[in-house]
Amino acid sequence: AAGVIQSPRHLIKEKRETATLKCYPIPRHDTVYWYQQGPGQDPQFLISFYEKMQSDKGSIPDRFSAQQFSDYHSELNMSSLELGDSALYFCASSSRGTNTEAFFGQGTRLTVV
Amino acid sequence: AQSVSQHNHHVILSEAASLELGCNYSYGGTVNLFWYVQYPGQHLQLLLKYFSGDPLVKGIKGFEAEFIKSKFSFNLRKPSVQWSDTAEYFCAVNNAGNMLTFGGGTRLMVKP
């Protein structure tokens, strides 16, 4: 079965650079979530999209932005990167409605040096 | 706002020991409850979920969890752990379509 695909799997950037992370949800899933998991931390919700519109916003820095495109894939854009942005970034997708679960991608490990 | 707390941050067990990981949540309405496992260097995988019905939920790999509404708890159990269960375990909550809120995680180490 198709799963959530994230790219790239690993990314190394320097401070003050920009990064773009991509997420391809499971086919027919209309909702995408982004989470940030710092070293030894639990996943923290950043932002979510439903039907290409932002639906919830969590602890996402102003330097970050995201969008969901017409094919339902989503991109997380991160600018002016800081050392503290080094983390594992997970995308999850689900089908909106009750009694649904989110399926997670394998994550993008971002290292800022 | 909903929140999730996991009481044990680190648990060390010997193989064949029984496991119980605590999870409590705070949210006044109807919730969906999940346990995820994260093996070292890997992504989150769903162990089990509760939406409604029988409060005792069975998941993969011999795990089960019991939803006790009066205690706002959803504890994870396994009668006999294996070395391969070494991982981090996250309890999570959402309310019908909204984002997941995770607990702080419990890092389980099983000694062979």
Side-chain angles (χ1 to χ4, degrees):
Chain A
V4 178
I5 306 296
Q6 289 188 246
S7 68
R9 291 291 308 280
H10 301 272
L11 190 59
I12 299 175
K13 290 285 186 178
E14 294 188 355
K15 283 193 302 184
R16 292 179 290 278
E17 283 193 316
T18 61
T20 297
L21 279 53
K22 297 184 179 183
C23 170
Y24 297 87
I26 291 172
R28 290 181 293 282
H29 279 190
D30 49 24
T31 305
V32 167
Y33 310 82
W34 284 99
Y35 289 85
Q36 177 192 57
Q37 186 179 24
Q41 304 291 315
D42 58 295
Q44 295 293 315
F45 172 70
L46 292 178
I47 195 166
S48 65
F49 293 87
Y50 167 64
E51 284 291 346
K52 294 152 277 184
M53 299 289 289
Q54 181 183 307
S55 58
D56 284 297
K57 193 171 183 180
S59 51
I60 183 169
D62 292 340
R63 299 177 288 108
F64 294 7
S65 65
Q67 56 182 322
Q68 186 179 30
F69 294 85
S70 58
D71 64 351
Y72 293 96
H73 94 272
S74 179
E75 295 183 4
L76 177 66
N77 298 293
M78 310 158 72
S79 62
S80 302
L81 287 168
E82 302 173 357
L83 295 178
D85 295 329
S86 296
L88 193 55
Y89 290 83
F90 286 113
C91 171
S93 75
S94 70
S95 180
R96 176 62 70 101
T98 58
N99 297 348
T100 60
E101 66 185 84
F103 294 83
F104 284 83
Q106 296 208 312
T108 294
R109 186 170 295 281
L110 171 67
T111 303
V112 181
V113 297
Chain B
Q2 56 203 23
S3 67
V4 183
S5 63
Q6 293 180 237
H7 317 297
N8 318 99
H9 297 294
H10 296 274
V11 173
I12 301 174
L13 294 173
S14 297
E15 274 195 315
S18 65
L19 170 73
E20 181 160 1
L21 302 182
C23 171
N24 285 89
Y25 67 94
S26 65
Y27 182 71
T30 302
V31 292
N32 299 323
L33 298 154
F34 307 83
W35 275 97
Y36 283 89
V37 61
Q38 187 176 32
Y39 298 103
Q42 295 194 25
H43 64 296
L44 293 160
Q45 299 175 47
L46 183 68
L47 270 181
L48 48 78
K49 60 191 176 188
Y50 173 81
F51 292 145
S52 63
D54 188 345
L56 184 62
V57 180
K58 295 194 183 298
I60 61 171
K61 305 185 180 186
F63 286 91
E64 64 179 33
E66 185 175 11
F67 170 52
I68 303 180
K69 189 174 182 180
S70 61
K71 295 185 178 180
F72 296 90
S73 71
F74 190 55
N75 291 356
L76 181 72
R77 299 194 291 249
K78 185 170 183 178
S80 175
V81 294
Q82 300 172 310
W83 176 78
S84 57
D85 293 324
T86 294
E88 188 153 17
Y89 293 81
F90 292 96
C91 181
V93 168
N94 79 357
N95 55 321
N98 289 347
M99 76 290 185
L100 286 166
T101 299
F102 286 89
T106 297
R107 199 174 292 272
L108 171 67
M109 179 182 292
V110 180
K111 298 184 294 184

